[in-house]
Amino acid sequence: MIASELVTNAVAATPGKEIRYQCSRDPAGVLIAVWDASPTPPRVHPLIEPALETLDVSEENWDDNGGRGLPIVAALATECGHTPDPSGGKWVWARLKP
């Protein structure tokens, strides 16, 4: 779920551009990281309780009712954050500890 959320956010931040995915294990646990070319830090949307009255189900916005991905990542990971890449873009990462 964490990898899916991070990849989805990277694709949304840079449509049609390259993204990079890395998953590694070390003595501290497992690190999942996704790079995208945008230097803009990820933005957490305010959590709202979804209701039929607040959903935009129009054809052009039918899949734009999200915004819960980063809170899900934060809830599942031991720690998470983002790091600017010196060559451009950023890495958004989450660590899982055993």
Side-chain angles (χ1 to χ4, degrees), residues 5 10 23-24 41 55 61-62 71 75 82 89:
E5 292 296 343
C23 183
S24 57
L55 291 177
N61 293 320
W62 71 272
H82 66 281

Side-chain angles (χ1 to χ4, degrees), residues 8-65:
T8 299
N9 288 351
V11 169
T14 57
K17 305 279 185 174
E18 175 186 7
I19 62 169
R20 298 177 196 151
Y21 170 80
Q22 176 183 336
C23 183
S24 57
R25 182 177 172 197
D26 59 26
V30 174
L31 180 67
I32 299 169
V34 177
W35 175 89
D36 67 59
S38 172
T40 306
R43 185 172 58 105
V44 178
H45 298 281
L47 289 177
I48 59 168
E49 187 69 31
L52 288 176
E53 301 80 37
T54 60
L55 291 177
D56 183 352
V57 292
S58 62
E59 188 159 333
E60 64 273 4
N61 293 320
W62 71 272
D63 196 28
D64 195 22
N65 291 288

